[in-house]
Structures are given as structure tokens and as C-alpha cells.
Amino acid sequence: MDKEIVDRALDALDRLMRMFRVERFVYMICAIVSFLLLIYAAYIMFETKGVSVAELGLIFGATGLTTVPAGRITYFLNKSFSLIEAIVRKLSGLEER
């Protein structure tokens, strides 16, 4: 019975991950683009040996663009694992606390 519960929960998690695969890829692309923007801003600052308003805007924009995908991916994984926990508890007959 325990193996069946685990298998069903893992199947549910696999289906959930497949449903939101495109969303995760979009968030990963946003994170990569923001990282490249940070590298570009650092390159400009070292090249000009100074910091202007444009570089500061680029840095703050890139860090904001990094925060959004990281937050959404964390939220998605948290919800996914909470759902799997609820499924395992229901299938095993345990009551939620």
C-alpha cells in the first residue's frame, strides 16, 4: 500500500511539472537575461571607470527581473509539494493537522 501511495503521488507531481513546463522555461529565460544584463552593466562600469544613472538603472532593473522569476519558481514548487503532501495524507488516511 505504501509503495502505491508514493507511486501515485510521484505520478501526480510528474503531471504537474509537465503542465507548467513552459512557464518554468519562461522564468528561466528571464533569469538568464537578467544575469546577462548584470554582466553587461558590470562591463560598462569597469570600462568607463564610473557609475552613471544608466548603469544604476540597468542594475536595479536586472535585479528586479531576477527576483520575479525566482519568487514565482519558489511559489510554484512550494504549492506543488504542498499538493503532493495533501495527496499522500489523503491516500494514506492521515488527517491534516
Side-chain angles (χ1 to χ4, degrees):
M1 177 82 179
D2 289 336
K3 182 168 175 20
E4 180 184 331
I5 291 170
V6 171
D7 287 341
R8 288 175 72 180
L10 289 176
D11 287 341
L13 180 61
D14 184 47
R15 279 192 308 259
L16 190 63
M17 291 295 185
R18 275 188 271 131
M19 279 181 6
F20 293 101
R21 180 174 288 156
V22 173
E23 182 180 3
R24 288 191 332 255
F25 280 133
V26 168
Y27 291 142
M28 287 300 292
I29 289 170
C30 286
I32 290 168
V33 167
S34 66
F35 182 70
L36 292 175
L37 284 173
L38 283 173
I39 291 174
Y40 177 67
Y43 171 76
I44 289 174
M45 286 189 301
F46 285 121
E47 195 66 29
T48 61
K49 294 184 172 111
V51 179
S52 70
V53 176
E55 283 91 19
L56 286 176
L58 189 59
I59 289 172
F60 286 126
T63 55
L65 188 60
T66 303
T67 304
V68 172
R72 290 299 298 169
I73 289 172
T74 303
Y75 177 78
F76 169 76
L77 290 176
N78 186 28
K79 286 296 186 181
S80 299
F81 291 127
S82 295
L83 177 64
I84 296 304
E85 179 186 9
I87 291 171
V88 169
R89 284 183 180 276
K90 184 170 181 145
L91 291 175
S92 65
L94 296 175
E95 292 182 24
E96 284 199 36
R97 297 176 188 178

